Amino acid sequence: MIFEVDGRKIQSFEKIVINHDFNTIAATFAVSGVKNAKINALYHKKVVIREDSGAFALSGIITDVFESDNPVPEKPNLSGYSEAGILEDVTVSLQDYPLELSNVTIVDVVEKWAKRYINGNDFFVKDFEDAINVLFATVTAEPTERVKSIINRLATARGLFMTYATDGTGSQLRFYTNPLEFAKRYNSEKFIQNIEYGTAARELHSHI
């Protein structure tokens, strides 16, 4: 595995586990056995994980650091989520007020209230369902309401299933009319995948 933090390869680690749960808007990851004297400085840094072939696996943010004098493979000492996961934790930025929008689609709301949090990446796929382009006369948000909750509320009102993409940067939000359509597009029925990358082998465990 190739494990990069802020563009620099971390050479000394034992295991990476990536969890894909498509009932959420982000994957999570945990890295075990990281030997780095400045591990606390990795908090909230950007992560890219690739397979040995260079194929993309995940990009995201470190949200937890567990310092240890003697790190072991069985105990994660870095963890976090893929880029869209930040929407679970943040509210609408003061820079994006007011908290009421008129004559907007889900696309408009995402562009207005969510896009700044994932570094302006082109994360939103617009061509999957017509329902995301239906206008809401008014959309309001509470100051303490999480951005993900706002978007999910609108998606539910349109009968949409909200998840994320694993290709590209790994930060794209996607919307489907139902989970079966999602499975069809991914050619898979695996809604939860736990992928373990070790130094010698890769194991894949999945279930619906």
Side-chain angles (χ1 to χ4, degrees):
M1 288 302 295
I2 300 169
F3 178 47
E4 298 178 356
V5 179
D6 270 4
R8 300 181 62 181
K9 288 184 180 180
I10 302 295
Q11 303 289 351
S12 182
F13 66 92
E14 295 293 338
K15 183 171 65 175
I16 298 175
V17 177
I18 298 175
N19 175 262
H20 288 295
D21 182 349
F22 298 115
N23 292 310
T24 68
I25 62 166
T28 59
F29 66 90
V31 187
S32 303
V34 178
K35 299 178 179 66
N36 189 312
K38 298 180 180 179
I39 192 170
N40 284 326
L42 303 182
Y43 174 72
H44 223 258
K45 299 295 186 182
K46 175 74 177 291
V47 165
V48 175
I49 301 171
R50 302 182 189 277
E51 298 185 21
D52 290 334
S53 65
F56 174 86
L58 178 142
S59 65
I61 301 168
I62 295 171
T63 59
D64 293 287
V65 176
F66 309 97
E67 190 171 15
S68 173
D69 293 332
N70 186 28
V72 295
E74 294 77 17
K75 185 176 181 180
N77 50 357
L78 291 177
S79 63
Y81 45 48
S82 60
E83 291 174 7
I86 195 172
L87 302 181
E88 298 260 15
D89 297 330
V90 296
T91 59
V92 176
S93 169
L94 290 173
Q95 299 174 65
D96 294 329
Y97 274 37
L99 293 177
E100 182 174 313
L101 304 174
S102 300
N103 297 317
V104 290
T105 66
I106 295 177
V107 175
D108 297 326
V109 173
V110 172
E111 294 285 338
K112 175 66 176 174
W113 286 343
K115 197 166 185 177
R116 73 165 55 252
Y117 289 114
I118 57 172
N119 301 320
N121 291 335
D122 183 19
F123 69 98
F124 189 74
V125 179
K126 302 179 181 180
D127 61 352
F128 284 94
E129 298 295 344
D130 292 339
I132 64 173
N133 291 312
V134 177
L135 288 173
F136 288 88
T138 304
V139 173
T140 59
E142 297 296 326
T144 58
E145 189 174 10
R146 302 300 189 223
V147 173
K148 182 261 185 176
S149 177
I150 299 167
I151 301 168
N152 194 55
R153 172 161 50 86
L154 301 179
T156 300
R158 293 288 182 257
L160 294 176
F161 167 71
M162 183 170 119
T163 184
Y164 62 98
T166 58
D167 55 340
T169 65
S171 62
Q172 294 175 323
L173 296 180
R174 290 192 172 176
F175 297 86
Y176 299 91
T177 52
N178 58 64
L180 293 179
E181 177 66 14
F182 167 83
K184 178 181 176 182
R185 290 186 183 273
Y186 273 84
N187 193 29
S188 171
E189 293 184 351
K190 299 184 177 91
F191 285 89
I192 300 176
Q193 293 183 338
N194 296 302
I195 306 175
E196 181 175 314
Y197 300 93
T199 55
R202 167 181 165 172
E203 300 176 19
L204 171 63
H205 312 281
S206 62
H207 60 276
I208 300 177

